[in-house]
Amino acid sequence: MQSARKFAKKHGWSYAFVLPSMVTFCIFVLFPVVWSLVISFQKYSLSRGGVWLDPVYQNYVDAFTTQGGVFVTAIRNTLIYSAVTVASNVLIGLILSSLIQPLGFRLQSFFRAAYYLPAVTSAVVIGMTWRYIYNGQWGLANYLLEKVGLEPLRWLSNPDIALGSITLSTVLTIPATAVVLFSAAMGSIPKEYYEAAELDGAGPIRRWWNITLPLIKSVTLYLAVLYTIASFEVFEKVFVMVPSGVANSTQTIVTQVYQNGFQQFNYGVAAAQGFVLFLMIAVVSVFQFRALRSDVEY
Amino acid sequence: MILRPNRALTWLFLALTTVIALFPMYWLFVMALTPIGTIPPSTPALFPDPFSLSNIVRLLTNAKDYLRWGANSIFVAGTVTLWHVLFDTLSGYAFAKKRFPLRSVFFWVILSTLMIPAQVTLVPLYIVTRQLGLIDNLFAVILPGTAAVFGIFLMRQYIQTLPSELEDAARIDGCNEFAVFWNVILPLCKPAIAALAIFSFVRNWNDFLWPLIILNKSINYTLTVGVAGLQGEFSTDYGIIFAGAALAALPMIAFFLAFQKYFLEGVRMGAVKG
């Protein structure tokens, strides 16, 4: 008793401080994740609850085979979108932050703010804007095509190019986080490194290649993972740009989870597809963790 | 740093990317302020010609719940933000400065869930919400939002850098642990709290999938859900849709311009993706 009181006196406040966060965390993250895993092996209905499937992994089979295997197409679409946008976001972020780095403080701040401004608006509004930019009759995109003498495109209604149009809209959205983080990382590299290299006769490109790039490696990796995860989860944009789906050509993993779970009410399959997404993100995260651990800091 | 092959080319590139960054939003606002009949003008104008608020008037008279959506969004994002400011700071402080049994276990459990996509929890959360009869209830939007853990990391990182001498002095003066937190830690955390509050607010203001799933009646929609719905409801009245989207973007843009410094500082603190 004595020691319990002593323990409470010593640590009681600490537990009280973390309690609210831990409670909501357990209720709204930990418990649903575990239950979701259970549901992914069950046939679940709101009236009758969950019944274990036989074979128990049936939802995972169904996840890939329902509606003629749309989910496979959805994964493929998501991976294409991801590969293009991650590469372009990191590259454009790197180029832009390298270009604004030599500028004065005020100009740097101006560009960072200009790039960041659109990022504070919701993906819904951005997606809607692009939907109308891509409008076949009066959209801005076709106006520009016409100006340079090209044929107008059916950007979002042609199944062959709809996914490409959505991807392009993300590529053309300046990767604000990358610019800010790259700028911060480049700003923290000691000036002496560059001065020493300059004395040794290294030109600006070589200094950038041999000093800047290696020293921002960990930020680059962090951003790559950040954008990979965000692109795996792409939903809002697709949902507002092509509500009809254009013959499944723009299905992504999360639009599938949404459809199966909350339009078809096939909870088990939606949960299983959610875990496929989880697995993909886990692989990327583990890769990041290993790469960062082996990283040599300066 | 220091990549300048050609100054003119650099400036051209920076100017071009600035235009690319800002033009879609700008175009949205021009369209929102241009009177639009059945088909919007196909030649884009740099300025609304003629300038008119008719789309906005039509929006507010036809989409009767629009202002209510805005109020719902403020309520949702504000409540979640308040929660995070208070309790993330509290637990961030405990994780940063206190030593107590299971501390690292708690922390690693929280840390490991950072990579769990929110989409995985949708099905169980929906089932529970249905069974508790909380469909169409704004508190069902708010509650899962309180479980985001990025704020705990942000505050822990920040509080770790604060010196412990002040806390010790307050303890010697007879403050209990909560008084130490309230009087010493909290005031020192202002920059981090500003970043946390801003990001939490923007994040929840922009949140879409979960409210889309559990809100059915128009009057309960948050702004993102309502605005996305305009596309279906007024499919051919583009003026209303443009006005709705532009008005929904406006508060966040104003918010950003007012608190720019904290936004960019917050990104640097590694708070969020965006």
Side-chain angles (χ1 to χ4, degrees):
Chain A
M1 262 316 37
Q2 191 66 29
S3 68
R5 196 171 300 149
K6 239 171 101 180
F7 184 86
K9 192 168 183 280
K10 192 166 172 214
H11 297 301
W13 282 109
S14 305
Y15 287 112
F17 286 177
V18 297
L19 189 70
S21 299
M22 290 308 287
V23 167
T24 52
F25 172 76
C26 288
I27 297 177
F28 298 111
V29 180
L30 219 48
F31 161 71
V33 168
V34 175
W35 194 16
S36 191
L37 187 63
V38 171
I39 290 174
S40 78
F41 293 108
Q42 290 182 328
K43 174 151 189 59
Y44 195 96
S45 75
L46 287 170
S47 49
R48 276 169 297 150
V51 182
W52 295 98
L53 285 168
D54 179 40
V56 82
Y57 52 80
Q58 187 60 42
N59 282 330
Y60 287 86
V61 176
D62 289 349
F64 288 94
T65 52
T66 47
Q67 300 165 54
V70 191
F71 191 55
V72 179
T73 314
I75 292 179
R76 205 204 61 171
N77 290 343
T78 307
L79 289 177
I80 293 173
Y81 175 84
S82 180
V84 176
T85 58
V86 171
S88 81
N89 279 346
V90 171
L91 200 66
I92 293 174
L94 184 61
I95 293 172
L96 288 180
S97 46
S98 301
L99 289 177
I100 63 174
Q101 197 64 26
L103 304 177
F105 176 75
R106 275 168 177 277
L107 274 171
Q108 268 195 52
S109 307
F110 167 79
F111 280 115
R112 273 199 296 260
Y115 295 144
Y116 204 86
L117 182 65
V120 300
T121 52
S122 69
V124 169
V125 171
I126 292 174
M128 284 168 76
T129 308
W130 279 96
R131 178 182 177 174
Y132 299 112
I133 288 176
Y134 282 141
N135 185 289
Q137 293 164 26
W138 45 266
L140 191 60
N142 275 345
Y143 172 81
L144 292 176
L145 283 189
E146 198 186 311
K147 276 278 150 185
V148 295
L150 292 173
E151 286 293 304
L153 289 173
R154 284 163 54 225
W155 296 91
L156 293 175
S157 53
N158 179 347
D160 292 334
I161 62 169
L163 180 69
S165 304
I166 295 171
T167 309
L168 179 68
S169 76
T170 304
V171 169
L172 289 178
T173 305
I174 304 294
T177 306
V179 174
V180 174
L181 290 186
F182 273 136
S183 290
M186 289 176 188
S188 68
I189 297 174
K191 297 273 174 290
E192 294 79 28
Y193 291 12
Y194 293 101
E195 289 160 9
E198 208 170 352
L199 285 180
D200 289 345
I205 307 250
R206 276 210 50 197
R207 274 175 283 167
W208 183 77
W209 185 263
N210 287 331
I211 299 173
T212 311
L213 276 193
L215 290 181
I216 57 170
K217 202 179 104 195
S218 58
V219 179
T220 312
L221 192 67
Y222 171 77
L223 284 166
V225 172
L226 198 76
Y227 284 126
T228 306
I229 294 177
S231 61
F232 281 177
E233 297 176 357
V234 63
F235 172 76
E236 282 95 337
K237 228 177 176 173
V238 181
F239 183 83
V240 294
M241 280 171 86
V242 279
S244 59
V246 208
N248 287 333
S249 67
T250 57
Q251 290 283 349
T252 65
I253 296 175
V254 180
T255 61
Q256 276 290 295
V257 172
Y258 175 72
Q259 270 188 15
N260 283 311
F262 307 102
Q263 290 182 320
Q264 320 273 349
F265 301 105
N266 202 340
Y267 301 117
V269 170
Q273 291 176 334
F275 272 94
V276 173
L277 173 66
F278 183 10
L279 191 71
M280 290 169 61
I281 290 177
V283 169
V284 175
S285 304
V286 168
F287 166 77
Q288 177 202 27
F289 183 71
R290 296 188 57 153
L292 278 182
R293 205 175 39 178
S294 64
D295 203 25
V296 184
E297 287 290 320
Y298 58 95
Chain B
M1 182 185 178
I2 307 171
L3 182 71
R4 38 178 120 153
N6 181 321
R7 264 172 183 274
L9 210 66
T10 303
W11 282 106
L12 190 70
F13 190 72
L14 287 176
L16 188 71
T17 49
T18 308
V19 170
I20 291 175
L22 297 176
F23 199 76
M25 273 299 124
Y26 180 74
W27 183 75
L28 173 68
F29 277 92
V30 171
M31 290 302 241
L33 295 171
T34 308
I36 294 176
T38 41
I39 293 187
S42 59
T43 310
L46 269 186
F47 300 100
D49 178 34
F51 179 91
S52 150
L53 295 176
S54 67
N55 294 331
I56 292 167
V57 172
R58 250 192 2 275
L59 167 77
L60 296 179
T61 46
N62 289 313
K64 287 201 167 46
D65 296 328
Y66 192 88
L67 293 177
R68 178 63 187 265
W69 299 340
N72 289 344
S73 280
I74 291 174
F75 175 64
V76 167
T79 312
V80 176
T81 301
L82 211 60
W83 165 282
H84 280 299
V85 164
L86 201 61
F87 293 112
D88 289 0
T89 313
L90 212 49
S91 54
Y93 168 56
F95 281 124
K97 297 273 185 170
K98 301 280 178 197
R99 295 289 172 271
F100 53 93
L102 293 180
R103 167 177 163 275
S104 51
V105 175
F106 285 174
F107 195 71
W108 278 101
V109 170
I110 293 181
L111 187 74
S112 64
T113 58
L114 264 183
M115 65 176 180
I116 295 180
Q119 291 82 357
V120 168
T121 61
L122 290 177
V123 167
L125 287 178
Y126 176 77
I127 291 170
V128 172
T129 309
R130 277 286 292 257
Q131 281 165 351
L132 294 177
L134 289 175
I135 294 290
D136 258 326
N137 189 318
L138 286 180
F139 281 100
V141 183
I142 291 169
L143 285 171
T146 60
V149 293
F150 79 95
I152 300 176
F153 291 98
L154 177 73
M155 296 316 298
R156 173 179 168 268
Q157 293 300 98
Y158 187 82
I159 293 171
Q160 267 177 342
T161 66
L162 301 176
S164 295
E165 285 80 9
L166 284 171
E167 297 161 53
D168 294 338
R171 270 183 211 113
I172 290 166
D173 288 345
C175 283
N176 69 29
E177 288 300 313
F178 186 76
V180 171
F181 168 78
W182 192 260
N183 297 319
V184 179
I185 298 296
L186 212 51
L188 290 174
C189 286
K190 269 184 200 145
I193 287 177
L196 170 62
I198 285 170
F199 275 107
S200 179
F201 194 85
V202 173
R203 211 172 137 112
N204 287 285
W205 177 276
N206 289 340
D207 196 18
F208 182 64
L209 182 52
W210 177 241
L212 174 74
I213 290 171
I214 62 160
L215 301 177
N216 294 330
K217 291 201 199 88
S218 167
I219 192 106
N220 297 316
Y221 285 171
T222 55
L223 200 52
T224 46
V225 176
V227 166
L230 292 176
Q231 295 193 126
E233 204 182 337
F234 303 100
S235 56
T236 52
D237 193 339
Y238 295 106
I240 287 187
I241 299 174
F242 281 123
L247 271 193
L250 201 58
M252 286 302 105
I253 290 175
F255 199 50
F256 174 75
L257 293 176
F259 299 106
Q260 220 190 93
K261 196 182 102 195
Y262 295 105
F263 263 94
L264 301 183
E265 199 51 49
V267 179
R268 255 192 296 269
M269 286 176 181
V272 269
K273 44 190 167 186

